[in-house]
């Protein structure tokens, strides 16, 4: 039982020491061996009960073919090469602006010592997350091709086992005194490459995970612009330039109905870099300036505006934004204007926010407060203001100094882990942000990550 307790509670040694002290004290009181045996059994039982059952949310060690192996995301810190070769220009501007702001603050306040900790505007390393629960597929010799019940049924069953673990683990509290907030916001499954080797395998596994389960339905990705590339009908990750970091964000936070869960399965890792970065919204909220948070609230939240051109009138748009956003016909899958409007209202947009202009451009708008309530009823930062593309609800722009500082502050909440082939990570999209670091593919090794979502 000791390994089980060690894997389940970082406070084990504290309880072990207490139990040893009780046993030692009893040996001084009585020389009766029966009393000693009784005391040892009682104390041992209490220790196990205290460590394993003090939180009903951590009452399991094994689920089918999976075993809870460690409490953190695994691995060590990752050195981050914040070099101009891959930093987007707006980040470079933000660095310069932030350094200027810090210099002015030192001059005005004559408090160089208080600003010293802020002069490193970007981190030089990222640490592994403590809010990811990790499960190892504990039958590495298993091969679905040789399973008597059939490949599809085996993968479906494996998906159901994984779903049971997710339901038990995600958003629960871990027994830990080492961190301020011990909530589990992500579940990582390792070692699935022996079973899930293709996108089709993953589709079968994912169907078993989601089909017939209460409370979660598969969701379609509805981004601002054009959709993602797919592999055998499964979305791939955002086709963002590999030379640049994709900053942490919550999937579809700009829509009336953002994703509930988002999950990534690694078919192939990059030959270099490409680590997954994670940031909890609750942590991020602590770093975003109070001034900016209040500014967003005072101006009514964030106005998200989309414009989709009419490919019948403008088959070759010259505007970069129109080429990026695409036509409304392609976006909605219809040539009928009423059906196009219904496409967005079915996604939760108000009828007043979906309109065609005189040129046939479909304009879709919605206002989001910029915050949501998480599972602990905390108001947390939930938006993509860092992109610098959006006005506030009353038409006000975010002041450039606030925006630039935001782009830097958000890195302070970031942690990192590396997905290897066969790894599958499931995130609560409404409490956890995700992104990735720059990467380089090899000639025969192309980073391939599958992506699925739930409501």
């Amino acid at each position: 039982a000791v390994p089980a307790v060690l894997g389940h509670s970082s406070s084990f040694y504290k309880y072990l020491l207490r139990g040893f002290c009780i046993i030692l004290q009893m040996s001084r009181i009585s020389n009766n061996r029966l009393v000693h045996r009784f005391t040892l059994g009682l104390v041992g039982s209490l220790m196990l009960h205290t460590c394993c059952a003090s939180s009903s949310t951590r009452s399991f060690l094994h689920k089918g073919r999976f075993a809870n192996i460690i409490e953190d995301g695994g691995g060590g810190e990752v050195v981050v090469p914040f070099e101009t070769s891959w930093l987007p220009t707006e980040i470079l501007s933000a660095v310069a602006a932030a350094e200027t702001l810090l210099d002015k603050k030192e001059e005005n306040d004559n408090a160089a010592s208080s600003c010293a900790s802020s002069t490193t505007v970007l981190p030089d390393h990222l640490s592994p997350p403590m809010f990811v629960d990790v499960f190892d597929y504990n039958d590495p010799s298993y091969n679905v091709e040789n399973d008597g019940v059939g490949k599809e049924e085996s993968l479906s069953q494996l998906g159901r086992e994984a779903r049971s673990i997710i339901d038990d683990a995600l958003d629960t509290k871990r027994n830990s005194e080492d961190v301020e907030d011990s909530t589990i916001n992500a579940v990582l499954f390792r070692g699935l490459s022996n079973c899930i080797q293709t996108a089709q395998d993953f589709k079968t596994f994912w169907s078993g995970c989601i089909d017939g389960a209460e409370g979660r339905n598969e969701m379609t990705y509805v981004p601002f612009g054009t959709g993602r590339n797919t592999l055998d009908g499964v979305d791939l990750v955002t086709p963002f330039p590999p030379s640049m970091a994709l900053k942490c964000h919550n999937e579809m936070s700009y829509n009336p109905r953002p994703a509930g869960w988002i999950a990534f399965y690694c078919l192939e890792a990059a030959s270099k870099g490409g680590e997954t970065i994670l940031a909890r919204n609750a942590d991020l909220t602590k770093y975003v300036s109070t001034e900016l948070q209040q500014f967003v609230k005072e101006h009514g939240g964030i106005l998200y505006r989309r414009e989709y051109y009419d490919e019948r009138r403008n088959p070759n748009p010259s505007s970069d934004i129109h080429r990026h956003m695409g036509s409304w016909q392609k976006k909605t899958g219809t040539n009928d204007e009423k059906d196009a409007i219904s496409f967005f209202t079915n996604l939760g947009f108000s009828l007043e926010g979906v309109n065609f202009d005189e040129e046939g451009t479909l304009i879709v708008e919605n206002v989001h407060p910029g915050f949501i309530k998480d599972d602990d009823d905390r108001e947390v930062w939930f938006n993509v203001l860092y992109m610098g593309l959006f006005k506030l609800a009353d038409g006000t722009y975010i002041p450039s100094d606030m925006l630039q500082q935001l782009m830097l502050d958000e890195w302070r909440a970031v942690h990192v882990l590396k997905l290897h082939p066969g790894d599958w990570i499931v995130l609560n999209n409404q409490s956890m942000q995700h992104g990735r670091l720059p990467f380089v593919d090899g000639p025969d090794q192309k980073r391939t990550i599958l992506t699925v979502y739930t409501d």
Side-chain angles (χ1 to χ4, degrees), residues 120-141:
T120 303
V121 292
L122 289 171
D124 57 6
H125 71 274
L126 299 172
S127 60
M130 297 297 293
F131 41 76
V132 177
D133 219 357
V134 184
F135 289 82
D136 191 22
Y137 178 66
N138 58 15
D139 187 6
S141 63

Side-chain angles (χ1 to χ4, degrees), residues 287-306:
Y287 294 121
V288 177
S289 71
T290 303
E291 181 184 13
L292 175 56
Q293 294 187 45
Q294 189 60 34
F295 190 83
V296 172
K297 292 177 181 178
E298 289 175 353
H299 292 277
I302 304 163
L303 174 64
Y304 292 118
R305 178 184 173 93
R306 310 149 183 81

Side-chain angles (χ1 to χ4, degrees), residues 237-301:
V237 290
T238 302
F240 198 71
S243 61
M244 296 196 298
L246 177 60
K247 288 198 67 178
C248 281
H249 58 282
N250 300 94
E251 206 65 45
M252 297 181 278
S253 61
Y254 40 76
N255 286 347
R257 298 171 187 161
W261 292 353
I262 184 168
F264 303 97
Y265 182 75
C266 179
L267 280 176
E268 188 73 65
S271 62
K272 182 179 180 181
E275 291 86 357
T276 297
I277 52 177
L278 303 171
R280 295 198 291 193
N281 289 74
D283 295 338
L284 177 61
T285 307
K286 299 174 184 177
Y287 294 121
V288 177
S289 71
T290 303
E291 181 184 13
L292 175 56
Q293 294 187 45
Q294 189 60 34
F295 190 83
V296 172
K297 292 177 181 178
E298 289 175 353
H299 292 277

Side-chain angles (χ1 to χ4, degrees), residues 152-385:
E152 289 193 7
E153 179 55 33
S154 294
L155 288 173
S156 295
Q157 177 58 34
L158 197 62
R160 289 190 285 272
E161 291 179 19
R163 171 58 189 264
S164 178
I165 291 173
I166 297 167
D167 287 340
D168 281 347
L170 201 59
D171 301 320
T172 63
K173 301 287 186 180
R174 171 185 284 133
N175 292 333
S176 176
E177 296 180 354
D178 300 330
V179 291
E180 180 180 349
D181 184 351
S182 60
T183 304
I184 300 299
N185 302 106
V187 181
L188 173 62
F189 298 88
R190 290 198 186 277
L192 290 168
S193 59
N194 195 46
C195 298
I196 305 175
Q197 301 173 343
T198 67
Q200 187 60 51
D201 288 345
F202 179 77
K203 283 176 67 174
T204 305
F205 168 81
W206 174 240
S207 295
C209 181
I210 205 68
D211 286 354
E214 296 182 1
R216 297 287 172 184
N217 298 299
E218 188 169 12
M219 192 177 196
T220 301
Y221 179 57
V222 186
F224 246 75
T226 55
R228 292 176 168 171
N229 297 326
T230 62
L231 180 62
D232 290 337
V234 183
D235 281 358
L236 296 170
V237 290
T238 302
F240 198 71
S243 61
M244 296 196 298
L246 177 60
K247 288 198 67 178
C248 281
H249 58 282
N250 300 94
E251 206 65 45
M252 297 181 278
S253 61
Y254 40 76
N255 286 347
R257 298 171 187 161
W261 292 353
I262 184 168
F264 303 97
Y265 182 75
C266 179
L267 280 176
E268 188 73 65
S271 62
K272 182 179 180 181
E275 291 86 357
T276 297
I277 52 177
L278 303 171
R280 295 198 291 193
N281 289 74
D283 295 338
L284 177 61
T285 307
K286 299 174 184 177
Y287 294 121
V288 177
S289 71
T290 303
E291 181 184 13
L292 175 56
Q293 294 187 45
Q294 189 60 34
F295 190 83
V296 172
K297 292 177 181 178
E298 289 175 353
H299 292 277
I302 304 163
L303 174 64
Y304 292 118
R305 178 184 173 93
R306 310 149 183 81
E307 294 185 10
Y308 304 100
Y309 69 90
D310 186 349
E311 62 185 29
R312 297 171 300 187
R313 300 189 188 184
N314 188 14
N316 298 301
S318 58
S319 167
D320 288 339
I321 187 66
H322 278 169
R323 286 198 299 269
H324 171 72
M325 297 295 288
S327 70
W328 60 261
Q329 288 92 342
K330 183 176 181 179
K331 183 70 176 181
T332 63
T334 181
N335 292 317
D336 184 85
E337 293 187 359
K338 290 184 178 179
D339 290 342
I341 292 174
S342 296
F343 172 87
F344 284 100
T345 56
N346 289 337
L347 294 172
F349 291 86
S350 68
L351 186 59
E352 295 76 15
V354 186
N355 298 282
F356 285 92
D357 68 9
E358 295 178 354
E359 297 180 355
T361 299
L362 179 59
I363 300 173
V364 182
E365 295 181 331
N366 66 298
V367 173
H368 191 283
F371 301 82
I372 64 169
K373 288 291 186 73
D374 69 6
D375 291 334
D376 291 324
D377 203 36
R378 297 172 295 189
E379 186 178 64
V380 296
W381 188 253
F382 192 83
N383 57 69
V384 287
L385 274 181

Side-chain angles (χ1 to χ4, degrees), residues 24-82:
L24 181 63
Q25 188 66 25
M26 287 300 297
S27 69
R28 293 176 178 175
I29 296 174
S30 171
N31 292 323
N32 190 311
R33 289 186 178 180
L34 182 61
V35 172
H36 291 173
R37 291 174 180 172
F38 174 78
T39 304
L40 181 61
L42 177 62
V43 171
S45 297
L46 289 173
M47 287 168 59
L48 290 176
H49 176 76
T50 303
C51 291
C52 295
S54 60
S55 172
S56 60
T57 59
R58 310 295 302 157
S59 60
F60 57 87
L61 291 175
H62 295 270
K63 284 278 189 176
R65 288 166 280 184
F66 294 101
N68 197 189
I69 54 172
I70 54 178
E71 286 196 338
D72 58 37
E77 294 181 340
V78 172
V79 176
V80 182
F82 281 100

